Amino acid sequence: MTVISSAARCLGAAMLVLGLTAPASAAPAAPAAPAAAGPGHAGRWLTDDQGRVVTVHGVNLVYKKPPYFPAAGGFGEQDARFLAENGFNAVRLGFAWSAVEPQPGVYDDAYIEQIRQTQQLLARYGILSLVDSHQDAFNESVGASWNGFPDWATFSDGYPVQPNPGFPEVYFTSPAQNQTWANFWHDHAASDGVGVQEHYAAMWAHVAQRFADQPYVLGYDLINEPWPGWDYPTCFPDGCPAFERGVLAPFEAKAMAAIRGVDRRHLLFYEPSLTNDFGTPDFVPNPTGDPDAGLSFHDYCFGPVDTCVTNGLARAAADGAVGVVTEFGATTNATRLTRLTDRFDENMASWMFWSLAQNQTPHHPQEPPTGPNLTDPAIVRPYPQAVAGTPQQWQYDGTTGTFTLRYSTRRADSGGPFAPGARTEVFLPQAVFPGGYRVDSRGATVVSAPGARLLQLTADPGQETVQVTVTRP
């Protein structure tokens, strides 16, 4: 047993860096990127290049105002530093298909380079990027608040648009919206005679080749919140297996195959339909059976019982994929946020927060996701960034400031042991432990400096299980 007590303040941001750890400092230095691909997975777990189980706490970074890239919205060095200092080790980095391919078959490489530059900035702070093709309600001409998808791929056939319906009401009230999605799912030909789905897949290949060699890319999120179109009534309350298996999965398979033509290493994250955000069951399978696949799913469930996270993780487990909650939140309700993040901890889930700063309204400009909403105690919380073993349980009690972690020392990928000295790393926010912390570690030895923001432990010889409790002094 190892017990360490410290009243020292946290010494600065340390971060998970794909098997490397930057030393704690007052301001995190930009670490040199190792020559390695992004994380892999072992069943439901993300893993790093050492085989450790990785957990990500991240934030969405999606700019919906022209020219649709974060730097134009003010995101820069100090914002990346802020994220790292507060324990965010991943970002869901959105781009607009309309900006990538402004005309059929014509690509704007300067725009893609802007997205890549933000990814590289995040990488310098040890932050992984999930590159995300983002849309909400397709296109402004059919009731969306922005042009995520291009005009030339929008075929509403003259159906009316409900005036100012709002989101997500537009999906239910606008005939033009549902007809446009119907044409998309039927692979309507663009003006050049090529189907819009073929254009979409080719666009993804063009984007992915710019990130294929980047070590801090978590993977590719194939499409944000696909909508079933006119079939949506069949999705409530029991989900839409016919659409997700027979229409959505084959579409996402096209994008996966195209990406694999230029990038064989990074994870491919497929999504279920938007209805799953609100708690309907997930039926979309791994579209191609790719062994390096993940399920990106969202949690905006209503009511006292949250089925979103269990539905998503169960669907991912059924296909041997890794499941990540890539959106939740969009609120400042501390009680709701705490309930959600406690629930994610209960399920040992990785997540990416949607902060209100990402929501542009006529009276509120979009801002970098680094304001007060991202310092909420429900969001900036202790968690195991890397476990040299297989997690069995972790929990954070915000009332008492107590964090507990239990894990097996066996590898998640093979069941075998780690080499001596493999480190488990737990992020401990300064806001939670302003006066330092006390560690009760059974089965492992603390090897990090007293008060370090990144607690590091190595398993003692012969130990099969490690139990760690962190409390305020």
Side-chain angles (χ1 to χ4, degrees), residues 24 89 119 172 238 251 276 303 359 398 402 406-407 427:
N89 59 353
Q119 180 270 319
F172 303 96
D238 299 319
F251 158 72
N276 300 120
N359 288 352
T402 300
R406 186 177 69 250
Y407 62 94
F427 177 73

Side-chain angles (χ1 to χ4, degrees), residues 79-353:
D79 303 302
R81 180 182 296 112
F82 174 95
L83 293 175
E85 288 176 342
N86 284 280
F88 295 101
N89 59 353
V91 156
R92 185 166 176 247
L93 179 59
F95 67 84
W97 178 20
S98 60
V100 170
E101 192 177 5
Q103 298 296 328
V106 178
Y107 301 110
D108 187 341
D109 288 330
Y111 171 75
I112 302 171
E113 178 60 20
Q114 287 288 346
I115 302 296
R116 195 175 77 97
Q117 286 180 14
T118 296
Q119 180 270 319
Q120 291 180 320
L121 168 62
L122 293 165
R124 293 200 295 272
Y125 286 88
I127 298 172
L128 298 160
S129 291
L130 176 61
V131 182
D132 162 43
S133 177
H134 208 89
Q135 67 79 38
D136 304 282
F138 214 95
N139 180 277
E140 287 181 342
S141 67
V142 291
S145 61
W146 70 299
N147 283 341
F149 281 7
D151 294 342
W152 59 261
T154 306
F155 298 96
S156 62
D157 296 338
Y159 277 71
V161 179
Q162 184 74 18
N164 303 315
F167 181 85
E169 291 85 356
V170 63
Y171 286 117
F172 303 96
T173 62
S174 175
Q177 179 70 208
N178 287 296
Q179 184 63 18
T180 295
W181 279 106
N183 280 320
F184 186 75
W185 299 130
H186 286 100
D187 203 13
H188 193 292
S191 59
D192 61 356
V194 178
V196 289
Q197 292 190 17
E198 281 64 44
H199 272 294
Y200 191 83
M203 175 275 297
W204 251 124
H206 193 82
V207 170
Q209 68 182 351
R210 303 296 295 273
F211 296 93
D213 63 347
Q214 296 300 308
Y216 285 87
V217 170
L218 175 59
Y220 306 108
D221 196 336
L222 301 179
I223 181 172
N224 178 68
E225 298 179 339
W227 179 246
W230 292 115
D231 291 340
Y232 78 83
T234 68
C235 299
F236 296 99
D238 299 319
C240 36
F243 168 73
E244 291 193 344
R245 292 170 180 162
V247 178
L248 180 57
F251 158 72
E252 294 192 272
K254 293 179 182 180
M256 292 174 76
I259 292 170
R260 281 293 178 245
V262 298
D263 186 344
R264 303 294 303 175
R265 301 182 297 178
H266 289 111
L267 296 171
L268 304 179
F269 285 85
Y270 53 99
E271 285 205 24
S273 69
L274 171 60
T275 63
N276 300 120
D277 290 24
F278 311 119
T280 64
D282 298 358
F283 291 99
V284 63
N286 181 338
T288 64
D290 193 296
D292 292 317
L295 179 69
S296 164
F297 63 96
H298 303 167
D299 190 336
Y300 294 106
C301 273
F302 301 111
V305 179
D306 183 351
T307 58
C308 288
V309 64
T310 50
N311 284 347
L313 292 177
R315 179 67 259 166
D319 289 322
V322 59
V324 177
V325 184
T326 53
E327 270 194 45
F328 77 99
T331 180
T332 57
N333 185 314
T335 300
R336 174 166 174 76
L337 290 176
T338 299
R339 180 170 62 82
L340 283 166
T341 50
D342 284 350
R343 178 80 164 146
F344 299 154
D345 283 357
E346 180 183 322
N347 287 274
M348 297 181 286
S350 288
W351 51 254
M352 298 186 191
F353 179 54

Side-chain angles (χ1 to χ4, degrees), residues 2 17 69 77 88 93 111 178 184 193 226 232 235 242 271-272 299 312 343 357 360 370 381 396 408-409 429 466:
T2 301
V17 185
F69 58 85
E77 188 93 19
F88 295 101
L93 179 59
Y111 171 75
N178 287 296
F184 186 75
Y232 78 83
C235 299
E271 285 205 24
D299 190 336
R343 178 80 164 146
Q360 176 204 351
T370 51
R381 59 198 281 130
Y396 168 56
S408 161
T409 58
V466 172

